[in-house]
Each structure stands twice: as structure tokens, then as C-alpha cells.
Amino acid sequence: MAKREPKQERSQRTRAVLVQAAAEVFAESGFAGASVNKIANRAGLTLGALYFHFENKEAVAREIVRMQPSFATPVDGAEGLQRAVDITLIWAYGLLRNPVLVAGARLVAEQGDFMGPEENSHRQWAAILADALRSAQARREVRSGVDVEAVARLVVNASTGAQLHAFAESGPGRGDLPFRIEEMWRCLLPALAVPSAIKRLEFGEGRARPDADAPMHA
């Protein structure tokens, strides 16, 4: 007799299936064009299953936006300036194929419809990058007079613009986004980092974790 899957594990798997399906629908149709019916149908589940996990479409969209950083977390112990660079590179390479990241990129333009200004994705990413840059400053990789919070906001703004331009010029696949992110850093680094720290930095797809571009598993 087959062993039954614990209820909590089944619930987590169902939630993951719903998020994956919602990401695909949001990536294709945007927030306005998506519906709970489309999401449930894509997941192969009932509306009842969706409403058990999420109150409405807005709640699913918020979940997708909030989980974005979990797909861009360095796993090799990188700290300071390298960590800040890695976060953006992992995001850029992951955005080429990961439906959740693609959905997040599209939802960022519509987040005013489902998220309050105090929790928008720009602030979320800026806080994460500011932490890495503060560490870099403490490690004397970033010049002491640099306003790391302002730099973090600038990196988020530039990265957002880069993905929009990559979409417009390279198509939905955004194939040149990683190059644009690397180019952004190479322009910014001389103004904020000490030369020795710049020399130690590594770029390229090798800095992205192996599973950064993988879809969520059911």
C-alpha cells in the first residue's frame, strides 16, 4: 500500500503549483489580463483550491512579487560588493527563463494595483542591495563617503530600465539583459568602489547559481 503524502506537504505542493501557474499567466497577460479562472485552469485545479490558498488575484500577485529575491540569493558565501553584483547577475540570468521572475518583471509596472507603496518591489530590492553595499563599505571595498542607500536605489532603477530595454530591443526572451547588467556595474564601480575591490570582482554566468533559472517544482 502506497504511503500517503502528509497533508501539509500536499498543501505546499498545491500552493507551489498555483504560484507557478499564476506566474505563467501574469507573464503572458499582465495583472489586468489575468484572472483567477485562468490561473486555476493553468494549474489544473479548482477555484476552490485557489481560494483556499489565496484570497484573490491580488494576493497571488503579491506573493509572486515578494518571493522574487529568493531566486536571486547567492549560495557560495559571497559577501560585500561581490554579493551585490551577484544578486543582480543571478536575477538577470534567471529572468531569461524563470516564469516567476518574468512575471515579477511584468508585474512591477502594475504593482500599484495590488500592493501598497510601503511594500513595492523597488523598495524590497533596494533594501537587499543596500545591506550588501553596507557590508562592502565596512569591508573597505566601497569608498567611505558613498551613500549606499542612494546607490542601491540607483542600481534597482537601472536594472528595471535595463530589463525594459532588453524586452523592447531583444524581445520577450531579454537575451542581452545579463550584458546590460554587467555594463551597468562597469560604469558605476569606478565611482563607488576602491580599485583593488574592482579587480577582485567576478562577472559572467558562472556567478549565477545553477538553479536560478529553474521553474518552481510542483
Side-chain angles (χ1 to χ4, degrees):
M1 184 175 179
K3 184 178 180 180
R4 293 188 62 184
E5 184 179 28
K7 185 176 180 179
Q8 184 176 3
E9 291 183 14
R10 289 201 306 274
S11 179
Q12 290 173 344
R13 287 170 65 84
T14 300
R15 187 180 182 90
V17 169
L18 285 166
V19 171
Q20 178 78 13
E24 293 172 2
V25 173
F26 284 130
E28 294 166 4
S29 306
F31 180 79
S35 69
V36 288
N37 282 313
K38 286 183 179 179
I39 294 169
N41 288 338
R42 181 67 60 91
L45 297 167
T46 65
L47 278 176
L50 187 150
Y51 283 124
F52 177 81
H53 290 276
F54 298 101
E55 180 181 2
N56 48 34
K57 179 177 74 170
E58 288 79 0
V60 189
R62 286 194 296 272
E63 176 86 354
I64 288 172
V65 170
R66 288 169 179 163
M67 71 191 306
Q68 298 287 299
S70 68
F71 290 94
T73 302
V75 296
D76 66 350
E79 298 291 343
L81 195 56
Q82 183 69 65
R83 184 176 183 83
V85 170
D86 284 356
I87 288 169
T88 58
L89 285 176
I90 294 168
W91 168 79
Y93 281 105
L95 191 56
L96 302 185
R97 293 174 290 273
N98 187 322
V100 179
L101 289 175
V102 174
R106 181 152 188 179
L107 288 170
V108 70
E110 302 174 279
Q111 61 186 315
D113 294 332
F114 58 87
M115 294 185 80
E118 72 284 352
E119 59 177 354
N120 70 59
S121 64
H122 292 99
R123 294 187 181 184
Q124 175 180 242
W125 283 111
I128 291 168
L129 287 167
D131 283 344
L133 291 171
R134 275 192 291 271
S135 172
Q137 201 165 51
R139 294 157 58 98
R140 299 184 180 179
E141 297 172 339
V142 168
R143 301 179 195 279
S144 60
V146 170
D147 183 341
V148 293
E149 281 77 15
V151 172
R153 291 191 295 270
L154 177 61
V155 170
V156 172
N157 292 340
S159 297
T160 301
Q163 73 89 2
L164 290 172
H165 280 284
F167 181 89
E169 297 177 20
S170 301
R174 300 176 177 85
D176 65 348
L177 179 58
F179 167 79
R180 292 172 184 268
I181 296 302
E182 183 172 333
E183 184 178 60
M184 171 195 73
W185 279 113
R186 294 195 184 281
C187 290
L188 286 175
L189 286 168
L192 63 99
V194 300
S196 59
I198 297 174
K199 290 179 181 178
R200 291 194 299 269
L201 287 175
E202 297 179 21
F203 291 90
E205 190 167 7
R207 295 304 308 176
R209 72 184 190 190
D211 61 336
D213 58 357
M216 292 176 60
H217 295 291

